[in-house]
Amino acid sequence: MAQPTATAAADDYQRLAAEQAIVVERLAADIGIPAGARVLDIACGTGHAALAAARRNAEVVGIDIDEPSIARARFRAEAEGLSGIDFQVGDARTLPYPDASFDVVLSTLGLVFFPDQEAAAKELARVTRPGGKIALTAYTTRSIPAQMFDLGHELQGAPIPAHPHYAWSNGPRAAALLQPYFHDVRVRHDRFETCFASAAAWTDHVAQWNPNMRKMLATRPAEFAAQWRARAQAIMEPHNRATDGTFLADMDYAIVTALRRP
């Protein structure tokens, strides 16, 4: 079994994504992916959603632009003996697949980060067959990751986009993006737990493994990093439900589902 390279291990998104595995297992069951369905996982990262669909005996394609993540996804699929899955390196903003290629299209905390949301919705619709299902996940507006996103923009003096990634969690915004192509657009909220030795341990983890945070901190002076850590921990502490000195908090997210119009 070919393992990811040392370079990949040093930049392994799986370290950040591991706790999200429960999200896609719930999602695959909730939307009822049937055996034999042709499924696409857009911006698949290290393969959580693709692997969940493959465990249900679907025919799965996962695509992501990040080669180390795809290497990790292939390694995971091989380790589980999942043969009905094809991980591909490519730009998910311009998918290399014909129109109406897939019965189910998934993207967990992936497609929602594309800056051109209208173009992302259009491309999502293009590859979904008429009557096919889509399911996306996005962090909610007041979730910890959304607050961290806003904090990063504030400290850098950058304006927050009119429609940041977490705007997908709002029903009216999701409907505005999807209803030209889909019907029965639904948004519901859920959560998963994040567990660390302390809030400081959480911020250390994110600083190391979140690519955007790592880049931001690497290009700023030490004083900026210290300020970010202090402000980040101040955001985290009110969410802490642990009573034993550790850190336990909810990560709130939205599930967006819809059916492709005929």
Side-chain angles (χ1 to χ4, degrees):
M1 183 185 302
Q3 298 190 22
T5 65
T7 300
D11 189 26
D12 189 358
Y13 183 71
Q14 178 64 11
R15 303 291 187 96
L16 188 70
E19 65 182 4
Q20 301 163 9
I22 191 171
V23 171
V24 295
E25 293 298 339
R26 290 173 180 166
L27 185 65
D30 286 351
I31 66 173
I33 298 174
R38 184 157 171 78
V39 177
L40 174 64
D41 182 6
I42 296 176
C44 66
T46 54
H48 282 330
L51 293 166
R55 293 186 195 107
R56 298 175 67 89
N57 291 314
E59 181 184 345
V60 186
V61 177
I63 185 168
D64 198 286
I65 201 167
D66 184 60
E67 292 188 27
S69 290
I70 289 294
R72 175 66 67 186
R74 289 170 177 161
F75 179 75
R76 295 177 68 201
E78 186 178 357
E80 290 195 37
L82 296 172
S83 57
I85 184 167
D86 179 19
F87 286 110
Q88 302 176 358
V89 176
D91 190 342
R93 294 171 298 182
T94 53
L95 296 165
Y97 312 116
D99 296 356
S101 293
F102 297 95
D103 304 305
V104 180
V105 182
L106 308 172
S107 188
T108 56
L109 302 173
L111 177 142
V112 297
F113 285 92
F114 295 178
D116 190 337
Q117 295 177 352
E118 287 78 8
K122 184 176 181 180
E123 187 68 350
L124 176 67
R126 184 186 68 77
V127 296
T128 307
R129 69 163 176 79
K133 301 177 182 179
I134 64 162
L136 315 173
T137 61
Y139 287 119
T140 61
T141 302
R142 295 310 302 161
S143 65
I144 292 170
Q147 292 182 66
M148 293 297 175
F149 177 84
D150 290 352
L151 173 62
H153 278 66
E154 177 189 340
L155 293 179
Q156 295 178 88
I160 296 172
H163 298 293
H165 63 86
Y166 49 78
W168 279 93
S169 69
N170 298 327
R173 178 58 179 168
L177 290 165
L178 296 174
Q179 282 182 345
Y181 319 102
F182 298 89
H183 66 94
D184 199 23
V185 178
R186 300 185 182 188
V187 179
R188 69 176 180 85
H189 290 186
D190 204 341
R191 58 176 58 94
F192 64 91
E193 291 184 332
T194 185
C195 308
F196 281 85
S198 65
W202 188 92
T203 54
D204 288 344
H205 181 76
V206 170
Q208 181 175 2
W209 297 112
N210 183 295
N212 294 326
M213 293 296 184
R214 185 170 59 239
K215 181 179 178 180
M216 179 184 73
L217 296 174
T219 57
R220 298 296 191 285
E223 294 79 6
F224 179 95
Q227 185 180 15
W228 176 82
R229 289 176 186 277
R231 293 281 301 277
Q233 289 176 42
I235 289 172
M236 300 294 293
E237 288 294 0
H239 294 273
N240 191 3
R241 295 190 285 109
T243 58
D244 59 358
T246 64
F247 183 80
L248 170 66
D250 291 327
M251 290 290 194
D252 299 312
Y253 67 96
I255 300 165
V256 183
T257 57
L259 299 176
R260 184 70 167 95
R261 294 186 185 279

